[in-house]
Amino acid sequence: MADQNKTDTADSFYSEILSPCQLFAARSRSHKIPVRGQKDFLPNDSEEQKQQLQQSLDEHWSLVSEERVERLGSLVKATWIPSEQIVELQTPAGKFWQTMGFSAHGKQYLLPEEALYLMECGSVLVFYKELPLSIQDGYETFLSSDTLRLQQYQVFGHLKRLGYVVHRFDPSSEPSSYARQLNLPPSRDRGGTPLKRKRSTSPTPTSTQSRSHTQTRAESPAEKMEEDNNLPESQLTTSTEPPETRSASSSTADGGRVRTQPASSSSADAGWVRTWWMRDAPERDSEKTSDLCSSAGRSRWDFSAIPFPDLGSRDRSPGLMAAPDPSALPGDLAVGVCDVAAWRHKINLRQVKMSAKEQGRRRWDVNKDREVRRCRNWAEYHELLARRQAKRHGRPAHLWNREVKPLHDPTQPSPTAELLEKISVIKSTHLLEGASRLKGSDEWRICFDVYQPDSVADFKKNNPGKPYTRVCVCSFDGPVPDLRAVKQLAFRSRDVPVVFAVVDHGDISFYTFKDFQLPRDVYP
Amino acid sequence: MEGQNQEEQNQNQEEQNQNQEEQNQNQEEQNQNQEEQGKRLALVVGLSLCDSAPLLWRVQDLRTIRSLGLVGALLGSLPRTPRQNLRLGRPLLLLPEEERLLRENRAAAVLPEQNQDLVGGASREGAGPQRQYEEEQQRSFQEQSALALEDRKSALLRAMTSSRAGSESGTGFDEALQRRLLDLDQNFTFPQSALAVQLSTTRAGLSYCPEARAFLQANWPVRAQDDPCCEARYQVFRDLRGRGFFLTSAGKFGGDFLVYPGDPLRFHAHFIAVCLTLDESICLLDVLAVARLGSNVKKTVLLCSPAPDGAVRYTSLQWSGMV
């Protein structure tokens, strides 16, 4: 090596080993970098360009070839321990100890990438077998697949030179999702002020009260609904007693109860109510539930043959009412001829004066409607009325009574935002949705935790706190992270954003994915 | 007799002189040979593989590379100002195409990783290099302390002469000066901690011996590059380099290479080269994206494809707007 230097007499300026004289003279080196001027557009063979190029090149070589010279007293000495892939400090650490390195067994240690960075800064001199390591030796021994790859070290160095505090990612330091759910405070805050006791959510007083009221007084409408829902069964199973005795707690009249029935139970009850008169009288005692609606056409009375008394018609009827057929009467009842003349006097038979509209309406007989005549009983007539009303109000049955209903009722007031929500096809999602189900992959791994530079003053290595960001290193030659990889990494990193540092031959670009809400031009 | 002896002596001396002249001539020839050898070997560059990436460490190698028109990328901290990212220092990382070009021109060789003799043999031989290092440090310390003393003396002289300019005292001044200088000689100490130490960037070792390089040239590790897109990239690289352009990587610009008309220190890049094989189909959206990018950064996009006949076909994209 010494011979080589002697032959390179012309380039002694760029020799790799400095003589003591040169080392001594290095004390008065400038610490500034010359500023680069404007570049030219096209090369022409002018002298001026050649000169400028030569000047730039000379400046470039002089900067690149400068060797690091430091005072021995300001250097921290350390040794490389290959068995543990770690650097042990022999002299006390300097200012860098605030953010780098760790203590163990009473000694100070540095991680290989930290040691290499400090070597490049000229703060640490690392020895191996009592000989100093050069930067080249450092790169080749400290960077391996066990410690840190060259690309990862490039990102590490880049961030450290900008001033960030960079640590290796430790997956076990992240609290589990369960711990986060419990919202446990970090254990290091124990020594501080005790936590305020959070007010626990107690059950609402209204629900407890209602439970106590069921036995005593009028219940809430919910309880009432429950009672009403139980009614059909109770009414069916028990004998047909008057309504007052059916449920002991109810105090309102039967009519009142029917009125307060909610719509959901009305159909069952109403169905039951509407058809109770259809059942034949002798069959009432042995009533079966299934026969409720189907008894419409099975009456054994011929109502057209029974003369019902008509006392209110204006026809001159005899003052005597004929005796009814004894078979139409219950039991052994026998009724004779009835003199109804006195009753007829009490009825107001004067003709009512009606307006032209009413006369017209009176002329229209509802029974003349063909559809009405097709109804065989009141249930069907009510259905016809409901259908006609629905059509009139824009809710035709063929649309609304099927499985597939219209999405929106035009008669209902609805804000635009809700409407848009109903017709939206794309549902918005966020990055962490479904991420917990994904299994980890070896290909994409978080490498570093990065903390901001201005926190260096009060940075504590034992309790660094939440990192500013986490970095995953990849290269332009490798695959682009797909959604699965992005979700996995976001899940592993919890609430800290993940930045992809893409290395391309000395250039590093940083990319990150963020949740984003599509804007909606909706005014409520 | 004496005269004869003297003549003999003179003859001997003349012979000696002649021999010495011959020796000088031989040495000159040797020097010339060494220079030539040095020149030839200086053009062979030593690559170090770190994590399978080709790195160059020696300044001489970097200059050789630059003279061949290859730029590379600097990775390390600059020794003068290590805490900034605008200008970086050694090592230099080579593109795979640059490495392959050097290999094909037999201009590079891979150096062994660890200096086995230095590290491995040390424990066996009883700390030979360690002792050498310590001796060097000791020597450096002595030289530096002498230099420091000189420096202090000259500073003292300067200070006293400048203060003398105010007052004229003649011999009294000289005596005072001598006394002060004597004091300095006796009491001056150069502490060990003030010793200036070099943290060398490259490994100074036997691997730079010429014989070792010749040996290594024979064992070039074959790095397989069977990928067709790598082949296309290399063909394009070689062609453009042959035309005198300087090429660097262009990941940030969405292409394969940035093409400079001259040295990147003095010129801006003119083209973004995107390398494709002739039978590769490219999505129209990709063409659109790269054309847009090129127009935004004011560089022309070149679609490059190596043809079967060895030449490379270039197509440039120009954004001309809607017609």
Side-chain angles (χ1 to χ4, degrees), chain A residues 16 32 72-73 129 137 140, chain B residues 80 130 193 195 198 203:
Chain A
E16 310 280 353
K32 283 200 223 134
L72 199 59
K129 291 192 177 151
D137 290 321
E140 287 170 12
Chain B
R80 187 179 275 199
Q130 278 88 329
S193 63
L195 174 67
Q198 175 190 4
R203 189 189 311 130

Side-chain angles (χ1 to χ4, degrees), chain A residues 11 16 32-33 39-40 52 66-68 70 72-73 129 136-137 140-141 149-150 158 161 504, chain B residues 48 51 59-60 63 80-81 85 90 113-114 130 193 195 197-201 203 251 264 266:
Chain A
D11 340 44
E16 310 280 353
K32 283 200 223 134
I33 302 185
K39 289 193 189 180
D40 296 321
Q52 277 177 332
E66 213 172 57
E67 287 287 316
R68 297 165 172 83
E70 298 288 329
L72 199 59
K129 291 192 177 151
Q136 184 179 3
D137 290 321
E140 287 170 12
T141 41
R149 315 299 303 262
L150 179 65
H158 181 94
R161 275 181 233 124
D504 167 52
Chain B
S48 308
D51 199 15
V59 180
Q60 187 55 46
R63 295 183 75 195
R80 187 179 275 199
T81 48
N85 277 316
R90 288 175 279 164
E113 265 188 27
Q114 277 285 353
Q130 278 88 329
S193 63
L195 174 67
V197 160
Q198 175 190 4
L199 288 87
S200 40
T201 312
R203 189 189 311 130
R266 291 298 314 157

Side-chain angles (χ1 to χ4, degrees), chain B residues 51-287:
Chain B
D51 199 15
S52 76
L55 298 180
L56 289 179
W57 289 94
R58 285 199 72 211
V59 180
Q60 187 55 46
D61 292 344
L62 266 70
R63 295 183 75 195
T64 313
I65 288 289
R66 200 64 172 231
S67 66
L68 292 174
L70 304 175
V71 179
L74 289 169
L75 297 186
S77 309
L78 193 66
R80 187 179 275 199
T81 48
R83 285 182 177 86
Q84 46 84 32
N85 277 316
L86 296 169
R87 291 189 84 146
L88 297 176
R90 288 175 279 164
L92 188 84
L93 176 68
L94 292 178
L95 286 173
E97 290 78 30
E98 290 172 338
E99 187 200 343
R100 189 166 157 191
L101 195 69
L102 287 174
R103 175 161 48 106
E104 290 189 356
N105 296 346
R106 299 190 182 283
V110 171
L111 300 167
E113 265 188 27
Q114 277 285 353
N115 203 340
Q116 309 294 351
D117 300 341
L118 191 66
V119 178
S123 52
R124 273 181 270 128
E125 289 171 16
Q130 278 88 329
R131 204 169 27 170
Q132 195 179 8
Y133 171 69
E134 283 202 23
E135 282 172 7
E136 273 178 30
Q137 288 289 91
Q138 202 53 31
R139 206 172 36 223
S140 171
F141 178 69
Q142 279 163 1
E143 276 196 46
Q144 284 193 35
S145 52
L147 286 168
L149 184 58
E150 284 299 317
D151 197 43
R152 281 287 288 276
K153 281 185 184 171
S154 55
L156 183 64
L157 205 62
R158 267 201 310 278
M160 294 211 55
T161 44
S162 64
S163 68
R164 190 204 181 194
S167 58
E168 306 266 337
S169 31
T171 51
F173 168 75
D174 288 330
E175 279 175 17
L177 184 62
Q178 289 306 318
R179 223 188 4 240
R180 295 280 287 272
L181 288 175
L182 207 64
D183 275 339
L184 205 60
D185 272 327
Q186 286 170 349
N187 302 332
F188 179 76
T189 48
F190 186 67
Q192 184 79 13
S193 63
L195 174 67
V197 160
Q198 175 190 4
L199 288 87
S200 40
T201 312
T202 75
R203 189 189 311 130
L206 301 168
S207 23
Y208 291 97
C209 188
E211 296 96 78
R213 274 205 206 186
F215 169 75
L216 285 164
Q217 263 175 352
N219 311 341
W220 180 265
V222 175
R223 286 145 72 78
Q225 285 178 356
D226 299 329
D227 211 354
C229 78
C230 286
E231 182 62 37
R233 280 177 61 128
Y234 176 68
Q235 296 296 333
V236 172
F237 183 91
R238 197 172 58 170
D239 189 61
L240 285 173
R241 176 81 281 282
R243 290 168 194 252
F245 292 103
F246 285 68
L247 296 132
T248 54
S249 83
K252 282 195 301 194
F253 291 92
D256 287 312
F257 301 112
L258 272 182
V259 184
Y260 295 82
D263 196 298
L265 280 176
R266 291 298 314 157
F267 301 100
H268 291 293
H270 282 188
F271 305 108
I272 303 172
V274 178
C275 304
L276 306 160
T277 53
L278 272 179
D279 47 2
E280 185 182 332
S281 61
I282 183 168
C283 171
L284 186 61
L285 286 176
D286 292 341
V287 176

Side-chain angles (χ1 to χ4, degrees), chain A residues 442-462:
Chain A
D442 284 331
E443 203 189 325
W444 298 98
R445 227 176 287 135
I446 300 180
C447 295
F448 302 116
D449 288 341
V450 176
Y451 302 86
Q452 279 197 297
D454 50 0
S455 63
V456 166
D458 40 22
F459 183 80
K460 288 181 181 38
K461 275 188 292 193
N462 294 331

